[in-house]
Amino acid sequence: MLNLPIKKIFDKRIVCYVRRKHIWTKERHVKSPFKDVEIPDLTVSEYIWSHVHKWENKTAVVCGVTDRQYTYAQIYKQTQILGAALRKTFKVKDGDTVAVILPNVPEYPTTILGILSSGGVVTTLNPIYTSYEIQRQIKMSDAKLVFTIPEIVPVIREALEQCKANIPIIVMDLEKDRPEGTVSFKEIVGNTSIDMSVLKDVKRESEDVSFLPYSSGTTGLPKGVELTHRNLVANCVQQDTDCRMYEFTTDSHQDSVLGILPMFHSYGLSVVTLHKLSVGVKLVTLPRFKPETLVSALEKHSIDISYLAPPLLLFLGSHPQVTAKHLDRLRNVSIGAAPSPKADIEAFLRKVQRDIHVGQAYGLTETSPLATIAPLGYKNYRSVGFAIPNVELRIIDGNLNNLGPDEVGELVIKGPNIMKGYKGNPEANKQVFLEDHWFRTGDLAQISEEGVVTIADRLKELIKVNAYQVPPAELESVLKEHPDVFDAAVVPIPDSTTGQKPKAFVVLRENRNSTDKDILEFVSRRVAPYKRIKEVAFLDEIPKNPSGKILRRTLIEKYC
């Protein structure tokens, strides 16, 4: 256990944990042990470019597969050109939503920052989504145009047909020809003669929405999470104090960060991409996880910082082709998205053969996403560290009463990084927000006397597949579209490879005889691979409580 306050020499840098006199207040609120920070009144793009002159000639992003790369000066120029084109040619207005359906490519930062520069709002989508999933988010977000790669265009066109939307598709045509009827990204950003004065018409403020990722929140179908410019700028600044995991960029030094976490997800988007660009770090991107490309990237690029989900940590610690030499410059590893077993962390450290920092962090899309982090040198691998600066925590019981140290209850969070709310969903907002914008996480946790946070269990019903969230309600909705299905329930079951996998319980309509294979194929055509149901069992009735809520625990205990 960490005894605060302490000073610890770690990796040629003094790390100081500054403990408040009273982490726990008399109201049983838990303050961050780190000093508060001032949040600049800037938009995300303004904040990221506010210090770009310090590192404009350094590499901002490089593809770990193709070596295609851009300097900070190049990306800044491209974002301004793209923003002007979106404003002038595509008539994007302040607050219009633009969809981004891309893998981790070097042009991702240019795309999202260009959209923000135009006054637009970015909604990110998983590039492996089906047309069914894409059309739903296009419709819900009211997207005005789409950025993608050539390979995904047919799926997007099918999605646009389904939702009866006729919007432009801008294609990354850096290495492949663009499909007919789409717009060239290369031509847009290469148009240096475009009138940039149109950007003066953009009027966006820090309290305006900047990103609209879709999350299942505490339960149910995906909801649009309204993240303001202030939310994301705050989460960047919160990482620049005692929680800092990077070395400052100077004329003679620049850290490199591994960009393998998907940028469409808040963890990869905010912590890995936006924040690291704001401090001049080099981002090494990988479009998808493949063992051979990851190993190759580690050989070509010396990585200083890595943000990983548990399956990636397990891979690095166990894959025979990854050696200590591949990780010889690595200093800091933060694990998020799901808890990582202590045994996996220890196996990884044995592979590294050095005493480097490995710590767990906690957050949600709704918290922009970082809420707690294990600071440098902290070795309690079962905890997720401490509340980051400007963040307060509470533990509440079922009656919303505040609990004390080491008592288990629902974790509730307040801070400048908490989302504005779910787009157009007052009922969902009512469920997750308490008085004074306290956010209910839906996770069970306990907090020690010193402020150490440990996640105990999940109140949520989300299924975790390789750290991806799979909402049972979404799969149940898809199942019920099958003409033979009368009722359905989906629960998580253990899986040795992915952690969990979805299992469906199905009640067929009278005189119908669909097989489990029929059901599995029906769902697989409509959802991304990680959401696919792996097992089906047939029942006469789905157990429910008097209010109609599915008793998933009963299903798990009786049939799994």
Side-chain angles (χ1 to χ4, degrees):
M1 184 63 65
L2 181 65
N3 295 315
L4 301 177
I6 67 168
K7 284 188 177 180
K8 180 180 179 67
I9 304 289
F10 190 85
D11 198 17
K12 300 181 181 180
R13 170 173 145 207
I14 296 179
V15 181
C16 181
Y17 303 109
V18 184
R19 180 183 176 179
R20 295 174 183 268
K21 289 184 178 180
H22 302 288
I23 288 179
W24 284 83
T25 71
K26 61 182 180 180
E27 295 87 6
R28 291 188 166 185
H29 295 183
V30 179
K31 300 279 189 177
S32 171
F34 310 117
K35 60 185 179 181
D36 285 349
V37 293
E38 185 176 343
I39 312 301
D41 186 24
L42 299 171
T43 66
V44 170
S45 52
E46 288 171 343
Y47 177 73
I48 287 178
W49 301 129
S50 59
H51 296 292
V52 71
H53 60 279
K54 297 179 181 179
W55 40 73
E56 60 183 352
N57 294 321
K58 291 189 177 295
T59 301
V61 58
V62 55
C63 178
V65 178
T66 66
D67 287 330
R68 192 168 69 254
Q69 58 188 280
Y70 303 96
T71 66
Y72 273 89
Q74 287 173 323
I75 286 188
Y76 173 73
K77 184 177 181 181
Q78 288 179 352
T79 61
Q80 300 307 290
I81 294 172
L82 178 57
L86 292 177
R87 195 88 184 178
K88 189 176 182 66
T89 307
F90 297 92
K91 309 304 178 186
V92 170
K93 302 186 297 295
D94 291 352
D96 281 351
T97 303
V98 178
V100 176
I101 314 177
L102 293 171
N104 288 11
V105 292
E107 294 74 28
Y108 209 115
T110 295
T111 302
I112 59 177
L113 292 170
I115 294 168
L116 296 182
S117 297
S118 75
V121 174
V122 179
T123 189
T124 56
L125 291 86
N126 189 332
I128 64 171
Y129 271 177
T130 65
S131 61
Y132 180 90
E133 293 162 307
I134 292 172
Q135 66 86 19
R136 181 177 57 201
Q137 189 164 329
I138 293 286
K139 196 171 182 179
M140 292 173 69
S141 66
D142 191 26
K144 305 302 181 186
L145 57 120
V146 180
F147 283 83
T148 193
I149 56 174
E151 296 88 334
I152 305 177
V153 169
V155 182
I156 294 174
R157 282 181 166 155
E158 185 179 341
L160 296 179
E161 286 180 12
Q162 291 172 4
C163 63
K164 296 179 173 57
N166 182 21
I167 60 177
I169 301 174
I170 300 176
V171 174
M172 300 291 157
D173 53 345
L174 284 304
E175 296 179 333
K176 296 183 178 180
D177 294 337
R178 61 182 174 86
E180 186 177 349
T182 61
V183 182
S184 166
F185 176 87
K186 182 167 61 176
E187 290 179 9
I188 292 175
V189 297
N191 182 13
T192 56
S193 62
I194 192 167
D195 180 12
M196 309 286 275
S197 65
V198 70
L199 295 179
K200 294 178 182 178
D201 297 331
V202 175
K203 299 290 186 290
R204 299 297 279 168
E205 299 180 353
S206 59
E207 298 296 341
D208 292 327
V209 175
S210 59
F211 285 86
L212 188 66
Y214 274 72
S215 167
S216 297
T218 55
T219 186
L221 295 170
K223 308 173 188 70
V225 179
E226 295 182 311
L227 297 178
T228 67
H229 289 276
R230 177 174 169 80
N231 290 154
L232 288 158
V233 170
N235 214 220
C236 286
V237 177
Q238 287 166 321
Q239 298 176 64
D240 290 337
T241 56
D242 303 295
C243 304
R244 180 166 58 88
M245 294 289 159
Y246 64 92
E247 294 289 351
F248 293 119
T249 301
T250 65
D251 289 342
S252 58
H253 178 81
Q254 183 187 28
D255 272 352
S256 294
V257 63
L258 183 64
I260 190 171
L261 292 175
M263 293 179 183
F264 65 81
H265 187 274
S266 60
Y267 188 10
L269 172 71
S270 178
V271 177
V272 180
T273 304
L274 295 177
H275 174 253
K276 298 309 175 288
L277 290 175
S278 76
V279 293
V281 170
K282 179 169 72 174
L283 183 61
V284 180
T285 63
L286 289 172
R288 62 189 61 84
F289 172 73
K290 286 184 177 180
E292 61 274 18
T293 55
L294 176 53
V295 172
S296 176
L298 292 173
E299 289 174 348
K300 289 189 291 185
H301 303 277
S302 296
I303 302 297
D304 301 279
I305 320 163
S306 285
Y307 294 85
L308 305 174
L312 284 169
L313 183 81
L314 177 61
F315 170 82
L316 292 175
S318 61
H319 197 278
Q321 289 185 23
V322 178
T323 67
K325 184 174 174 53
H326 290 107
L327 309 169
D328 61 357
R329 211 172 96 175
L330 189 65
R331 296 192 319 272
N332 303 323
V333 174
S334 289
I335 310 160
S340 193
K342 183 181 178 183
D344 290 352
I345 296 174
E346 291 172 341
F348 172 76
L349 288 170
R350 287 194 296 272
K351 173 70 70 72
V352 175
Q353 299 178 11
R354 292 179 293 118
D355 184 18
I356 70 170
H357 172 73
V358 179
Q360 306 225 44
Y362 171 81
L364 307 97
T365 301
E366 293 86 346
T367 60
S368 298
L370 196 63
T372 76
I373 195 167
L376 288 180
Y378 187 63
K379 296 183 181 297
N380 180 348
Y381 297 134
R382 290 189 174 89
S383 84
V384 291
F386 304 84
I388 60 176
N390 301 60
V391 163
E392 292 183 63
L393 309 174
R394 288 157 58 191
I395 300 292
I396 61 173
D397 63 16
N399 296 316
L400 307 184
N401 297 313
N402 291 340
L403 301 178
D406 297 317
E407 293 185 286
V408 176
E410 184 179 359
L411 180 63
V412 186
I413 304 177
K414 180 182 177 182
N417 52 317
I418 302 297
M419 69 169 179
K420 179 179 179 180
Y422 295 120
K423 177 180 172 65
N425 201 330
E427 186 58 37
N429 289 329
K430 185 178 178 181
Q431 292 174 8
V432 298
F433 284 118
L434 300 176
E435 78 292 340
D436 202 20
H437 214 64
W438 282 90
F439 174 72
R440 300 183 66 168
T441 66
D443 286 325
L444 289 171
Q446 64 184 50
I447 304 176
S448 73
E449 185 72 43
E450 295 80 20
V452 179
V453 181
T454 302
I455 303 301
D457 204 344
R458 302 185 69 82
L459 281 176
K460 308 177 182 182
E461 296 175 336
L462 298 177
I463 302 168
K464 283 283 188 175
V465 179
N466 272 341
Y468 287 123
Q469 295 181 348
V470 180
E474 180 183 356
L475 292 177
E476 288 158 3
S477 177
V478 174
L479 281 164
K480 290 178 183 179
E481 292 178 8
H482 191 291
D484 289 358
V485 174
F486 171 73
D487 201 2
V490 176
V491 301
I493 58 174
D495 184 88
S496 59
T497 303
T498 60
Q500 291 182 328
K501 60 184 177 183
K503 177 174 181 174
F505 293 90
V506 171
V507 179
L508 292 177
R509 297 184 184 277
E510 193 172 354
N511 299 322
R512 302 294 176 90
N513 56 3
S514 286
T515 66
D516 56 351
K517 182 180 178 182
D518 297 331
I519 302 295
L520 292 173
E521 289 178 352
F522 179 86
V523 175
S524 294
R525 289 195 297 268
R526 287 162 172 78
V527 300
Y530 70 88
K531 294 182 185 177
R532 289 174 182 169
I533 292 168
K534 301 301 181 183
E535 293 183 20
V536 175
F538 294 94
L539 299 177
D540 293 330
E541 185 180 44
I542 301 296
K544 299 179 182 178
N545 69 9
S547 65
K549 181 177 174 61
I550 295 171
L551 299 175
R552 302 185 202 281
R553 179 55 55 190
T554 301
L555 288 169
I556 292 171
E557 292 173 354
K558 193 171 181 179
Y559 300 107
C560 299

